[in-house]
Amino acid sequence: MVYEAFRRLPPKRKHRVAWVPRIVCLALGLVGATHAQQTSERLVRVQQATQITDAVMISNVAVAGRTIECGLFIKPPAVVQPFTPFEAGGDWLRQMTISLINRTNKTIVFGAVTFHFLDVGECSVAQPCAGAGLEFGQRPAIDAYDGRTGQPLRLNHPERAPLDWGPEQTIVVHVSDYMPEIEASLANYVPASAVTKVNVYRGNFYFADGMAWGLGRYSVPDPDHPGKFKPLAADYFPGKRGRNWPPGYSQ
């Protein structure tokens, strides 16, 4: 387009704009160089043991629509993805999606996924790291109490509606919706565009009737002690254990 426009100019004016194509080419070169500098090796690791009583499992992680290998349980009896690095630009977190499946026969209304950013530290006592919680939905009223004080919780996002995440349905979490939380957690360390390694963990999940699941165990609210829960049997599972174990498989 630049060269075509230049060709149609009167002869006396050509010398005045002869430098335009060179500037455009130079600018495009700089853009390409900047993109190359921002593109580097990234790594996502889903770090959590899975068991057949899990209420929620991560079924897919993708960046810019491309599925990445991040350690998911993908085939019985024990086939697990490797942790495979991949190339991506500085905005890769914004382009990430996480798919989760509800394996139970109950409706989930609230859940969370936690990120640990290993560019800051190894998330140990000696080397703490930065983390961010990606929360979606709303806790049931019966669960919205502080477990230590028994007082009502101050909700982070009271405007959000509860999820209507039905049995065996999959939801997709778009990390771009949580960039303000991520950027705030990294503010004193590195910019989000500099992050190269992330550990992903499933958080706690709450059902419409107040039951909760977290750390591999189900529990129900204690009506006599707001904020407290009574654990259920370790082998309890609300549904058919073999369904979607792992996601997409039925036994």
Side-chain angles (χ1 to χ4, degrees):
M1 294 294 292
V2 171
Y3 286 102
E4 180 64 21
F6 171 66
R7 187 174 63 83
R8 292 198 301 264
L9 288 174
K12 293 183 179 180
R13 294 186 57 196
K14 286 186 179 180
H15 71 281
R16 299 180 184 177
V17 294
W19 45 269
V20 172
R22 297 179 183 177
I23 292 180
V24 172
C25 291
L26 178 59
L28 291 174
L30 290 174
V31 170
T34 300
H35 176 73
Q37 291 171 0
Q38 290 178 345
T39 300
S40 64
E41 193 172 84
R42 319 289 177 169
L43 182 65
V44 175
R45 301 186 299 189
V46 174
Q47 294 281 76
Q48 219 156 22
T50 54
Q51 52 193 19
I52 201 167
T53 55
D54 285 359
V56 171
M57 292 184 68
I58 297 176
S59 58
N60 187 66
V61 177
V63 174
R66 179 167 61 95
T67 295
I68 61 174
E69 293 183 321
C70 54
L72 300 185
F73 176 31
I74 56 173
K75 187 177 181 180
V79 179
V80 179
Q81 291 175 345
F83 297 133
T84 304
F86 58 95
E87 294 290 325
D91 61 347
W92 71 284
L93 287 175
R94 291 184 180 273
Q95 299 180 10
M96 183 189 296
T97 57
I98 302 172
S99 300
L100 303 105
I101 185 169
N102 172 8
R103 296 184 58 240
T104 75
N105 61 8
K106 303 168 71 68
T107 297
I108 296 174
V109 295
F110 176 86
V113 170
T114 299
F115 280 8
H116 283 171
F117 302 104
L118 304 186
D119 299 274
V120 175
E122 289 299 321
C123 298
S124 63
V125 175
Q127 290 188 331
C129 65
L134 285 59
E135 297 183 346
F136 30 93
Q138 199 63 260
R139 286 179 176 83
I142 194 172
D143 296 334
Y145 291 89
D146 187 298
R148 182 176 58 85
T149 66
Q151 297 300 308
L153 287 172
R154 183 175 179 179
L155 303 178
N156 291 331
H157 295 281
E159 77 284 357
R160 290 181 182 170
L163 296 176
D164 186 17
W165 183 8
E168 300 188 26
Q169 291 182 353
T170 296
I171 64 170
V172 179
V173 176
H174 294 262
V175 176
S176 58
D177 294 339
Y178 301 89
M179 289 309 296
E181 290 93 329
I182 290 172
E183 289 168 347
S185 72
L186 292 168
N188 295 324
Y189 303 101
V190 296
S193 60
V195 169
T196 63
K197 296 180 291 184
V198 176
N199 279 358
V200 180
Y201 304 85
R202 292 165 296 169
N204 295 327
F205 293 81
Y206 294 81
F207 300 92
D209 61 3
M211 180 186 289
W213 177 79
L215 299 177
R217 193 74 177 263
Y218 295 87
S219 58
V220 293
D222 183 346
D224 298 324
H225 300 90
K228 302 289 186 182
F229 287 80
K230 295 179 179 180
L232 300 178
D235 62 350
Y236 174 81
F237 180 73
K240 296 180 180 179
R241 288 170 177 252
R243 294 286 294 172
N244 294 301
W245 176 251
Y249 285 81
S250 296
Q251 300 176 12

